[in-house]
Structure formats: structure tokens, C-alpha cells
Amino acid sequence: MTKEDRREYAQAVGVAAAHNATEPWRVLTAVTNDAARSLGKRVAEHSGAAENSVGQTLDMSRDPSTGDLHIDVSDGIDDSRDTDSYAGHSNNESVSSIKTQSGDMGTVAEGTHSEVQKDVILRLETLTVRETKDSSSRILHNNHIYILNVVMACILACQLLRSLLWLLYVVVRSWQLKRVWKRRRARSVAIFFVEIIAQMINVIAFLAINAHSLRDDCSYQSSLIPWLSFVMWTCWNTIFMTFCISAHNSMPQEQHPLAFCKNSPKLADPNNRPLIVDGSLWLHAPKAFLWLLTEATIIALSCYDHYITRKQARERIGPDCHGTVQTECTQDHVHIVLTVLEIFWIFMYCVWFHKYILQEFRRLSTLPYGQNRISNLLVRLNTRLRLPFMAVFVLCFILLWAVKINSCFSFVTSWYGLLPMQILETAVIVAWSFIAMPKDPKGQPALMQVWMQEFCWSYRSKAAKMAARNQSAPNNAELVAAPMFCFEDAMKLLYWTSLTYDYKEAERTILTIHKGKELYGLESHELLWEQKHDTKCLMGFGPDTILLAFRGTASLKNASADIQAWQVVHPPLRGRCWTGQQPRVHAGFLKSWLAGNLKAKVVSTVLKVLHHQKKSPTIKRILVTGHSLGGALANLCAFDIAAAIKEAGASAEGGQTITVSCYTFGAPRTGNSAFRSEYNALVPESWAVINDQDVVTRGGKMVFLYSRPGQRVLVNSRGDMIVRPSWVEASLQRLPGGSVNHHLLTQYYNSMCAVILQQFENKLVCGGMEGIVEMCMETPILGDLLESFMGLPLQEMQHAAASLRQGEHVKISTARQPKLAFYVRDSSSKDKRRTSSSDMRMAGTPSGSQV
């Protein structure tokens, strides 16, 4: 369009504004030199239109003979006519015309009309307020969006800079301390460094494009926008490639076929197979090829948008890009095809990433957790952080771009950047740097975590195992004072926990009080059963051991105590509530423990036993256990017994302190953090065994109102056992929702048995076979149970352990996972109303509920 046409257009807009400056106008058609040039339905962003002039039109025409401009004003037009067809119609409802020449407004000549088919070069129609507000182009001139994006981009840049500086500090500090990183760690850090740099550039480009739009109202017509968008999409392309590389690095390399012919146990051992991260960078060539395809699409799309932007700028008529003209955001077929292709390549990244994650999960499910702890953590981190981000990114872009493809919102989403995606990726980087990256080189948190997670299989080997562990850091007081989990004690106390459900209630299982006393060599027992709140405690006494087991929820009275979740002060009153130093506990649990003077009876009985053997003390330890509600009561009992022993000054033989140990199964949180601190100081050897996704163990936290005392031990039916998991490790193991079925005592038996079974399968850990054999030799009852229910005869286990010492892994053919744990069929019961499946009763399952 020529300069003269642009000037005439400006004159027409000025005339329209003079006619009624309060009304916004829509450009319907424009023709120049008898050739129609459709400008589409564009909106002038003035203040609201007057109701009495809605639909009024202005036709600007030019007299071919004189060159004068004529503006024909009409009362309305037919809305049914298409925008592009107005050039072929005349306006028969004209009431006035405005004549102007050489930029000067002339007089109004009544009754003069122009030939619309030949001479109309501009037609304007007034809009309603609703039409103006519904215009998608308003987003291009909404400064509030750009201000929000600029502010958030600055915040995100600061967070990324902080993560980058911390990573550089760790690298430099390690280099100064002359600590050499292994190849796996070095490459992992390098990949993460690339991801941080890419996101930093991404956020800077996002900040620049929004700052430019805030400064220039016509920024969408600037050639700078396509190239800043090119930088952002290149960064997204690079970030997705680093995701795939990180997920692929932890997978094993394909072995050469001749490797299986060599007599090398290292090559045959799946734990020692080299990973992708150990190999050449050429292993990632397919991902680089996908990056090139995506980048080629991004370049083509950016160049095409740059061409379209320059073309629109050349064809723009009028002095302004907005105000009285609606901006076109229509995307042609070329732009749509290139954008769809770009989305397809990003979707392929997601498919590839998901494939690597599934393959890694399948591989790790057959390997021992302890020896592949880092791989387990990384694959779960990728699943929790990066996989949802990639899915949300693709889904959001498709929905926001494709739902209304020709809207200006789609244009802004594609090229101005999407703020939620910037926030999510920055959050992923910050979380990854906090969780997975190397910590301060001056400390030893990683080594401490490894030492703390060691455990012993049998009680006899516990002292030697702790001494060997403490030699790793003899000057570390925290490590020396830390207790050690004993698997044998956990199995024996699980037996007693089940026994409390059946004893004096429904003795229809193979569990008996006689066998229970043989486990620890106990000589006598006593049952304390408070009827009002149905609190049941089974006690056993031996030459060197006192054992107390509490029953869990098995009646409505117990369930009533469970739901009394408010906190009360733990007696005696101490600490200040407003400082958070006052120990407070679950009201229902404390009421069950104090009901019927149960606490006084239990504590006085224990002290009486200790007093009778004061001259020749032989009691070395007191064991407390329980399941579910019984676990919470066990925590309260262990605390009060330890406090009473400390106050009485009782000691074991040789002046040694009597050890109070507490093993709970599926126990909920008992009290607040102040109670936990006092509890851990009095009862350091306290272990909370949690089965997989047990929902009861998750309850009661209530925004840090409740805190779990003792140390956690995670078990599952796959045979994994994690002692003292870190906060990150426990969080990654936990899935949303939880499972009521995993809380049943049956499932705890199955998980503990799975840990034993895997020592003779693929997930064996160092010393696992020997530890199980030693445990069965010391406790023949456990050996009989393993032979009867799991097909693990002692002779076969001894043979497998001996073969392993010679470098040969021999599996026991009869080994199996028990389906019913310690169940027994009740054939003597006269109650025939139960089905055959209901006659199979779990050890410790009363006729009532066991939740």
C-alpha cells in the first residue's frame, strides 16, 4: 500500500473519531484503486460504545475525478454479510457524508453517495462493549500480564543463580580439597550444569520478551519476538534432551555376546554390569539426532514467523498498531504444520523418557536395594519431578495453543512463553539441586547415612557388627552412640505382637504362649487387660529379659480411642506450650494407657522384678512391642519405663545401664516434636517398622503437630528393607494415598518373610544367608516356621551359604513366599457360618477388627 493510501487511511480514522470519539470502531473492508484489500474484523481499543450508535457504519470513498475523500455515515449494516463481501455492496441507508481533501475536513454534503464497488477504501462499524471485551487481541496490550511475567522472571532468575552458585561452590571446594569424583558423579553433575544454564538462558529470554512488550505496545510486530522465542524453544529442547540423558545414564550397557562365555563372575553379575554413564558419549547419539530434528523445526518456524512479521509491518496502514484497529493473530497453514511438528518432537522426548523410566524400574526390582540405592533414588526422583513436568508441559501447550488456534492468546502462549512452565522447571531444578547434587565437601553426610543404615541379622552378632561399624569413624560420637537394628528381634517381637491378639481370645493358630516364651527363654508371663477401654498387655519375664506386648485395635472401644486425635499434655506437666517445648501426645492413646491404672501396674511390675534381683542383677534389656494402636501404647510404655528406671537408678550386671528397646509395627505417630525429643533421649533404641504404603503410619502428622519417635525401618513384599531411610528416601518410597491392606499384620508377616526369601534369590545382601542361618540355629522355633511355611530347611540354607562363600550362588528349589503367613485352618470350630476363606485366620487376628 502506498504512502498516499496510508495517509488517507489515517484521515478516515481521524474523521471517524471526530464523528463520535466515545465509540470503538471495527474495520470491515478496505479497497484501493478498485482492488479490495480485506483487513478483517479489527477492534479499536477506545472506551465503550454508545448504545444508540451500535452498528453504525462509515464508508470512506474517493472521487476518481477530483480525488476528494467522502465519508458516508449509515445507521446500520446487515450483520449477516461476510466481512470480505462488503466491497461488492452499496450503502443505501446513508444519511450524511463528510468531504475532506488534502487532510482538511470539509463540509457535510447531504445526500451524496459513493460507488462502494469501485471507490470504498474503508468501512468502519461501531462495536458493543461486550464485543470489545471479548476481543482476544486485548491480551497483547494488557500490561498487567507483562508486569507479572517480568516480576516472576526476576524471582526465578535469582533462584536459578543461587542453585548455580552452590553447584560451582561444591565443585571448586572439592577441587581444593583434592577430592576426586567418580566418573558417574562427574557426568551427572555436568548434565545438571547444562540443565541449569539452559533454564537460566530460558528465563532471561522470557524476561527480555516480556520487558520489551511492556516497553513497546507494538512489540508483537517486532522482529525481535521470533528470535527471542527461538532462544526459549532451543532451551526447552536442550532441557528435554538432558532429561532423557539423565534417565538413560542409570541403565546397564548391552553386554558383548562373548562376555557370557568368559569365566568371569563380574561379567555375569548384574550388579557389576557397566552403566550407560560409564560408556562413550556416542551412546546418546539417538537423543542428539532428536535434538537436531526439533531444533531444525524451531529454526524453520522462527524464520517463517520473522518473515510474516516483516510482511505485516510493511503492509500496516495507519500510524498506530492498536487503539482503533484490531490486531490479527490468525495462523496460516504453514505455521500450524510447523507448530504441530514441534509438539510431536517434544512428545517423542516424553515417550523416550517414559520408556527409560519403566525399564529402570523393572531392572531395579530384581536387584538388592542397598547395593543400588543411588539408582533407586535417581529413578524415583525422575518419576516424581521430571516425568510429571514433561507431561504437563505437552498437555498445557496443546490445550492452550490448539483449543483456539487463531486467537491472540494462542500467539502469546507459543512465542511469549508460558509462566507456569517456567515456574515448574525452576522448581524442578531447585529441588534436584537440593536432593540429588553433592553436599558440602567439608562434611560426611553420605558416609554417615551409609554407616547408620547398617543392621545385624542375629542378636549374637550385634555387638561385633556395631564394633566394626564404629571403627569406620572412631571419633564420631554420634555414630558410636547410634543403636543398630536387629532383624532377629524384629521377627521374634512380631510373633509376640500377633500373640496378643489371640491369647485368651481366639486361640486357633499355631502361635502359643509356650512357644513365645521359648523365643527369649522366658520363664513366666502375666496378662494385664483393662476392660473399660479394652487395653491389653501381655508380659513375659526371663532371667535376662523382660518383654511387654500390646494389642492393637480389635474392638469399638479401641477405635474410639483412635479417633480422639486432639493433643493433651503428657504427664507430668513440663515445658512451655508457647515455645513448642511442652510434650503433648494423642489424647486417645494416653487415655488407653492410663485407664484402669494400667500404667502404674505395668511400671510397678517391672520395677518389682528389677528390685528382686538387685543383689545379683541379670536383667539386661526390656523389650516393648505392639502393632497399630499397640505400637503407640508401646511408645508410651517404653518412655515411662525408661524414665522410671532412670529415676530409680536400676542397673544391669556390672553397673551397665538396662537397655529399653521398642519395636513397633504399623504404629501411628504418638506425640509432638517435644515428646519425640525426650523419647529419643530416653529410648534411643526404638524402631518403627513400616510396611510399604501403610496408611495408618502416615496419619496424625497434621501439619507437624505429630512427629514420629524412634527410627524408621521400611519393608515391602518385594523383599526390600531400608533401615534409617533419609527424609528424601522415605518420601520417594511413599506413593499418594496409602493402603489399608498394607496395615494388616498379615502383610507385615509377608514382607518380613519376603526379606528372608530374597536372601536366597536375586536380592541377597552381604552376609544375608549366613545371618538367616545363624538366626535359625539360635532360635529353632524360627527355623521350624521357615521350613514349614517357606520351604527353607536349615540344611539347604547351610548348603547355599557354603556355596556362596565359594563363589557359587545356589538357589533352594523348595523356597516359596508364604501365601497366608502364619495361618492355620480352623477345623475344630463349631461356627459354620463362616466361609472357607474366612476359616483361614491370621496369627493374632481376633474375631473383631484388626486395623
Side-chain angles (χ1 to χ4, degrees), residues 287-445:
K287 289 175 280 297
F289 181 70
L290 179 59
W291 184 90
L292 291 175
L293 289 176
T294 309
E295 194 64 18
T297 306
I298 294 173
I299 294 174
L301 189 56
S302 300
C303 292
Y304 183 75
D305 278 342
H306 176 73
Y307 165 75
I308 294 298
T309 301
R310 301 304 300 169
K311 180 181 178 182
Q312 291 178 350
R314 289 193 302 268
E315 294 180 352
R316 189 179 71 187
I317 58 177
D320 200 357
C321 59
H322 68 288
T324 58
V325 183
Q326 180 186 4
T327 304
E328 287 189 23
C329 297
T330 305
Q331 303 181 41
D332 56 18
H333 295 296
V334 176
H335 190 282
I336 293 175
V337 169
L338 290 175
T339 305
V340 171
L341 186 60
E342 182 180 1
I343 296 175
F344 174 76
W345 296 133
I346 294 178
F347 179 75
M348 291 304 299
Y349 276 123
C350 297
V351 173
W352 224 336
F353 185 82
H354 189 261
K355 170 191 172 184
Y356 291 146
I357 293 296
L358 289 180
Q359 291 179 348
E360 185 66 359
F361 266 117
R362 283 196 294 264
R363 183 183 75 90
L364 293 175
S365 64
T366 62
L367 300 177
Y369 180 89
Q371 298 178 20
N372 299 272
R373 178 172 173 265
I374 300 301
S375 296
N376 276 281
L377 288 177
L378 292 180
V379 70
R380 283 171 169 81
L381 272 175
N382 278 321
T383 305
R384 294 291 183 89
L385 297 178
R386 290 171 171 171
L387 185 60
F389 168 77
M390 297 181 74
V392 170
F393 185 94
V394 174
L395 182 63
C396 286
F397 187 78
I398 292 176
L399 292 179
L400 296 176
W401 176 79
V403 169
K404 202 171 183 181
I405 197 168
N406 287 324
S407 66
C408 291
F409 187 78
S410 174
F411 173 79
V412 172
T413 301
S414 303
W415 295 108
Y416 279 52
L418 196 59
L419 178 60
M421 295 299 100
Q422 300 286 353
I423 295 176
L424 287 178
E425 171 57 15
T426 303
V428 168
I429 289 179
V430 172
W432 195 273
S433 63
F434 173 75
I435 296 172
M437 283 299 98
K439 304 299 187 248
D440 189 351
K442 294 184 293 185
Q444 292 181 333

Side-chain angles (χ1 to χ4, degrees), residues 636-784:
L636 295 173
C637 176
F639 180 89
D640 289 334
I641 289 177
I645 291 175
K646 182 179 179 180
E647 183 178 356
S651 61
E653 185 178 1
Q656 297 181 357
T657 303
I658 298 176
T659 302
V660 179
S661 302
C662 182
Y663 285 70
T664 64
F665 302 89
R669 296 174 175 88
T670 308
N672 61 0
S673 59
F675 176 78
R676 180 197 62 183
S677 300
E678 291 190 3
Y679 179 92
N680 291 342
L682 282 174
V683 192
E685 192 166 342
S686 182
W687 306 96
V689 181
I690 300 174
N691 178 43
D692 208 358
Q693 308 301 321
D694 187 347
V695 68
V696 173
T697 60
R698 302 184 184 187
K701 195 168 187 178
M702 298 181 183
V703 195
F704 305 106
L705 291 180
Y706 285 88
S707 184
R708 185 179 310 283
Q711 306 296 331
R712 288 173 293 186
V713 179
L714 307 182
V715 295
N716 56 47
S717 59
R718 300 180 296 276
D720 299 322
M721 185 173 69
I722 311 172
V723 180
R724 286 177 177 264
S726 63
W727 176 83
V728 173
E729 204 167 10
S731 300
L732 293 177
Q733 291 289 329
R734 187 166 55 243
L735 298 178
S739 171
V740 176
N741 184 54
H742 288 176
H743 180 65
L744 300 178
L745 203 53
T746 318
Q747 302 302 319
Y748 277 87
Y749 267 111
N750 287 337
S751 295
M752 297 294 284
C753 291
V755 174
I756 296 175
L757 181 63
Q758 287 301 324
Q759 305 313 307
F760 302 91
E761 297 291 339
N762 297 325
K763 290 188 175 183
L764 72 160
V765 300
C766 182
M769 284 189 184
E770 294 83 353
I772 299 299
V773 170
E774 185 179 1
M775 181 181 68
C776 293
M777 293 179 64
E778 293 181 2
T779 311
I781 295 179
L782 289 180
D784 295 340

Side-chain angles (χ1 to χ4, degrees), residues 504-505 527-536 551 555 557-558 592 595-596 598 601:
K504 298 296 184 181
E505 292 189 62
L527 177 64
L528 298 178
W529 197 342
E530 195 280 317
Q531 297 294 331
K532 183 178 180 180
H533 291 81
D534 198 17
T535 306
K536 185 179 179 182
R551 189 193 63 185
S555 65
K557 295 179 180 179
N558 297 145
S592 298
L598 179 63
K601 293 177 182 178

Side-chain angles (χ1 to χ4, degrees), residues 497-513:
T497 300
S498 304
L499 190 59
T500 57
Y501 283 97
D502 285 4
Y503 186 66
K504 298 296 184 181
E505 292 189 62
E507 300 178 0
R508 294 180 292 179
T509 67
I510 63 172
L511 302 179
T512 63
I513 188 64

